[in-house]
Amino acid sequence: MAESMKGLHRSHRCTEVSSANIGEKVTVMGWVQKRRNLGSLIFVDLRDRSGILQIVFGEENVGVEGFEKAGTLRSEFVIAVEGTVAKRTAAVNENLKTGDIEIIATSLRVLAEAQTPPFAIEENSLTKEDIRLKYRYLDLRRPDIQSKLMMKSKVLGLMRAFMANEGFLEIETPILCKSTPEGARDYLVPSRVHQGNFYALPQSPQIFKQLLMVSGYDRYFQIARCFRDEDLRADRQPEFTQADMELSFVDIEDVLDVNERLLKYVWKEAIGVDIPTPFPRMPYHEAMDRYGSDKPDTRFGMELTDVSDVVKNCEFVVFKGALEAGGTVRGLNVEGQAGMPRKRIDKLVEFAKGYGAKGLAYVAINEDGTYKSSFAKFMTEEEMTALVAAMNGKPGDLLLFAADKKSLVYNVLGAIRLEMGKELGLIDENKWNFLWVTEFPLFEWSEEENRFMSMHHPFTMPMEEDLHLLDTDLGAVRSKAYDCVLNGTELGGGSVRIHQSDIQEKMFELLGFTKESAHNQFGFLLDAFSYGVPPHAGLAYGVDRMIMHLTGTDNIREVIAFPKVKDASCMMSKCPSEVDPKQLEELGIASVAPQEEDVE
Ligand code: ASP
């Protein structure tokens, strides 16, 4: 039977009690991790979010009734114990923070009984994730998840403290917003009052934070929930948290400076790591050329080499065809891997095909200097020698080549480089390689839409020296956008904004908006800009990503208390779900989705 808390006050969390308290009376509360009966003594491991503390029940201290009650305790019962802190009589448990003490119980209350949980509440659970997610409230009791969420809480606190100290104001922006089709797909919320009209959940507070600059707040910060209805990948969530900021009267340098100091502070305070500043910087084109990625993992080498010039006269149709079509031929030197089994190479070819490549050409340089190659027969000896030399190939090396459109070659070789780096253990896991990638293209060509789209968003400022290209060569315009990259992942990104209405209007035009549609969507922003807008810039971090780095997990669901799974559903609450037809009626909406029984 559940007893009440009446008259009890918790004095300590489990691991707040230490040998410094020996002899003191304490009151602790939590969940029973396990119980062991040893004749006249009953031992209970008591667990709360801080950790585990051993309680000893003996008749002479807790009384006959208390001792009997202790004998009925089972895992996950919620109990309150009053007792005296004592030095452990048995051997010290080195694995526990409280391993040298125990509590001699003088009273016990059972605050709640508990069913046997579907899986054991313990670190590194082997239980399948879908079961853990169904019973997330139990999964969240596990110490490894708790420590990650505690880290998240700590980091959010650190960021808030740092930003406040730098003069940033924390200001909330709306969750019910206007839909803007540029970017990812919006989550829509129907309006009951304005039937047929919809709000959109924010993909980011972008427009609002820019308006706050127009309003003179000059340094804004927010821990903002953002929503994107994208086709999900394992490392994405439909709702996620950004640490979002905007600053007035600044250029790139000011933004990067305050952010380097922010990250330095967070890493030091959260995990005691000193990260050197300033971070290295790399223009986008250099990142693509050297690493085949705009978020290069610079913890290891194996950089891409452009061999287009070297092979431009050869007869190998794959190279020739790609070059004639305006493409490129580039290679990777996987040092010391000439002996890679044919099967593994075939797998790499399949991997490359998964990225859209037609194949991969390879040369293995034997120890005696001869080659094993998929295409040597189409090349003269001089051509092969020149190619191997261009790749810095030595006996024992494996050279891999991709020939295609530049973007595809970057993608394929960038991915193979990472795959090889991981497989061959070339990545030093103790490194924290922060990097600013700068000078992103302003536009990217969308095959799907057959038009140029913003690479970042339509408010990003072109580099002043490229403004003239807006009329001649959109693909070549570089922007004042920057990404913060850590160990090959994008930690955050932002840009200097356009604050000149004429450039902003031109951007909308170039992105295919008519004057009318631009005004329909962003009229208030353009109007606002006409009343005096300071130059401004900003950046947003993916907080969940950041916490993944700080806690060493590659599973984003481990750093979100109640995450969704890949299809954007919640396994515990079972959302999204159908709603009462009455609710739809009120909203003036009818669903055309097939009924469950109609679905094959
Ligand atoms: N709102 C942008 C994003 O979500 C970040 C920024 O430009 O500040 O990527």
Side-chain angles (χ1 to χ4, degrees):
M1 221 219 12
E3 296 178 86
S4 85
M5 281 276 298
K6 196 156 187 255
L8 283 186
H9 291 284
R10 180 167 72 163
S11 66
H12 297 78
R13 290 211 175 80
C14 287
T15 65
E16 286 166 4
V17 188
S18 73
S19 50
N21 305 101
I22 285 174
E24 286 175 26
K25 279 209 137 281
V26 295
T27 306
V28 288
M29 302 180 190
W31 287 258
V32 172
Q33 180 72 26
K34 65 173 185 242
R35 169 176 60 87
R36 278 157 294 146
N37 289 13
L38 282 175
S40 61
L41 293 178
I42 294 174
F43 290 87
V44 163
D45 282 349
L46 183 68
R47 186 194 73 237
D48 65 15
R49 73 170 212 216
S50 74
I52 283 180
L53 177 63
Q54 176 164 287
I55 317 285
V56 188
F57 296 92
E59 236 177 60
E60 69 272 29
N61 294 302
V62 78
V64 181
E65 211 182 307
F67 187 74
E68 246 169 46
K69 214 196 286 177
T72 67
L73 295 179
R74 287 195 283 124
S75 288
E76 303 310 313
F77 276 30
V78 185
I79 61 171
V81 174
E82 289 176 298
T84 314
V85 185
K87 202 169 153 36
R88 258 200 208 198
T89 37
V92 168
N93 182 345
E94 303 282 354
N95 296 326
L96 281 189
K97 203 170 158 198
T98 57
D100 58 343
I101 53 165
E102 58 197 14
I103 306 295
I104 312 291
T106 50
S107 87
L108 165 68
R109 282 195 216 173
V110 175
L111 302 176
E113 298 186 345
Q115 296 186 56
T116 307
F119 50 85
I121 309 298
E122 61 193 8
E123 209 144 342
N124 303 322
S125 175
L126 295 176
T127 308
K128 276 222 200 88
E129 197 185 13
D130 51 356
I131 300 192
R132 292 197 281 113
L133 288 174
K134 180 170 172 203
Y135 298 94
R136 184 62 162 178
Y137 42 86
L138 295 178
D139 195 34
L140 287 170
R141 286 185 190 171
R142 296 192 308 107
D144 42 351
I145 300 248
Q146 287 187 333
S147 68
K148 292 186 183 93
L149 293 183
M150 285 185 218
M151 174 63 85
K152 192 173 196 174
S153 170
K154 181 172 182 179
V155 169
L156 291 177
L158 289 169
M159 290 212 251
R160 285 195 161 102
F162 179 91
M163 297 309 268
N165 196 38
E166 293 277 334
F168 285 80
L169 297 170
E170 187 165 348
I171 301 176
E172 291 177 301
T173 53
I175 293 291
L176 296 176
C177 301
K178 188 177 169 72
S179 173
T180 53
E182 190 79 6
R185 211 176 283 121
D186 282 331
Y187 275 100
L188 295 179
V189 180
S191 162
R192 179 180 56 80
V193 179
H194 304 277
Q195 295 207 346
N197 289 296
F198 296 81
Y199 302 97
L201 303 182
Q203 298 191 23
S204 85
Q206 187 62 34
I207 293 180
F208 294 104
K209 67 175 175 172
Q210 291 195 238
L211 288 172
L212 287 170
M213 297 302 108
V214 175
S215 307
Y217 289 87
D218 83 39
R219 287 189 158 208
Y220 140 97
F221 173 71
Q222 184 180 195
I223 305 291
R225 194 68 67 81
C226 304
F227 306 84
R228 296 182 192 173
D229 187 3
E230 290 175 299
D231 292 327
L232 296 179
R233 295 198 312 242
D235 63 343
R236 288 244 180 95
Q237 286 282 312
E239 53 179 306
F240 57 96
T241 305
Q242 281 192 343
D244 190 40
M245 68 183 75
E246 195 75 12
L247 305 77
S248 288
F249 309 114
V250 292
D251 209 336
I252 294 185
E253 295 303 322
D254 308 279
V255 180
L256 301 198
D257 169 64
V258 79
N259 278 285
E260 284 172 354
R261 287 186 294 110
L262 166 69
L263 293 170
K264 193 177 179 70
Y265 174 74
V266 168
W267 253 249
K268 180 74 186 166
E269 297 299 318
I271 56 168
V273 166
D274 280 304
I275 51 178
T277 50
F279 302 164
R281 295 187 196 175
M282 196 182 288
Y284 170 87
H285 281 290
E286 184 183 334
M288 297 306 285
D289 267 346
R290 291 175 57 190
Y291 299 97
S293 167
D294 60 0
K295 40 180 191 293
D297 191 335
T298 55
R299 289 175 297 175
F300 69 108
M302 205 195 289
E303 296 184 13
L304 279 58
T305 308
D306 186 353
V307 293
S308 306
D309 267 350
V310 186
V311 298
K312 66 174 186 275
N313 295 320
C314 80
E315 286 306 313
F316 180 34
V317 287
V318 173
F319 290 174
K320 207 171 146 182
L323 291 173
E324 277 170 8
T328 183
V329 183
R330 289 171 197 238
L332 284 179
N333 183 348
V334 193
E335 290 179 14
Q337 292 301 310
M340 184 180 282
R342 186 56 208 262
K343 261 205 182 131
R344 178 64 189 121
I345 296 184
D346 289 345
K347 274 228 174 95
L348 281 182
V349 176
E350 284 313 307
F351 181 84
K353 285 184 179 161
Y355 280 80
K358 290 179 211 76
L360 264 190
Y362 73 88
V363 181
I365 311 173
N366 299 324
E367 290 302 335
D368 62 5
T370 60
Y371 308 128
K372 202 160 53 221
S373 164
S374 57
F375 62 95
K377 52 180 180 282
F378 305 111
M379 311 269 284
T380 66
E381 226 175 285
E382 294 78 55
E383 284 168 346
M384 277 307 272
T385 312
L387 180 59
V388 169
M391 292 298 298
N392 248 331
K394 303 170 300 305
D397 290 349
L398 174 69
L399 312 179
L400 301 172
F401 299 94
D404 217 306
K405 291 200 300 252
K406 212 164 162 183
S407 56
L408 206 145
V409 168
Y410 283 147
N411 261 343
V412 170
L413 292 185
I416 291 191
R417 173 181 174 270
L418 279 185
E419 180 84 357
M420 290 286 94
K422 274 182 218 146
E423 187 174 309
L424 303 174
L426 305 178
I427 301 174
D428 179 350
E429 300 287 348
N430 294 315
K431 274 193 182 163
W432 296 102
N433 279 16
F434 285 86
L435 171 76
W436 292 112
V437 175
T438 59
E439 300 182 17
F440 275 83
L442 187 61
F443 300 101
E444 66 188 336
W445 181 256
S446 161
E447 298 279 345
E448 226 169 273
E449 305 254 337
N450 200 30
R451 66 174 175 104
F452 277 108
M453 311 213 6
S454 295
M455 186 133 176
H456 189 47
H457 50 55
F459 315 109
T460 300
M461 180 68 190
M463 281 173 64
E464 281 84 0
E465 47 274 63
D466 287 359
L467 277 173
H468 66 284
L469 295 170
L470 285 178
D471 294 315
T472 51
D473 188 359
L474 288 189
V477 184
R478 292 165 301 163
S479 70
K480 295 177 94 167
Y482 32 77
D483 269 1
C484 180
V485 173
L486 169 58
N487 293 349
T489 61
E490 180 195 331
L491 208 56
S495 57
V496 173
R497 322 300 183 191
I498 299 170
H499 80 286
Q500 304 86 330
S501 326
D502 54 333
I503 303 182
Q504 188 63 70
E505 296 212 11
K506 174 147 202 156
M507 271 302 281
F508 285 139
E509 191 191 307
L510 291 171
L511 290 168
F513 286 86
T514 59
K515 261 209 154 61
E516 208 187 355
S517 63
H519 265 272
N520 260 340
Q521 300 232 4
F522 303 111
F524 59 101
L525 183 77
L526 295 170
D527 286 348
F529 276 22
S530 73
Y531 289 99
V533 50
H536 57 290
L539 182 146
Y541 293 103
V543 169
D544 308 296
R545 266 299 153 77
M546 188 181 289
I547 306 303
M548 286 164 70
H549 278 287
L550 289 167
T551 57
T553 177
D554 51 15
N555 180 352
I556 193 169
R557 295 176 297 281
E558 301 268 301
V559 298
I560 296 177
F562 299 102
K564 309 268 190 304
V565 290
K566 220 170 150 188
D567 67 358
S569 66
C570 167
M571 302 200 68
M572 182 187 68
S573 68
K574 302 257 169 9
C575 79
S577 57
E578 287 180 356
V579 294
D580 194 312
K582 268 233 284 305
Q583 282 175 286
L584 288 183
E585 206 175 297
E586 261 179 1
L587 293 165
I589 298 187
S591 169
V592 294
Q595 294 294 302
E596 209 132 273
E597 55 268 25
D598 300 340
V599 182
E600 300 259 304

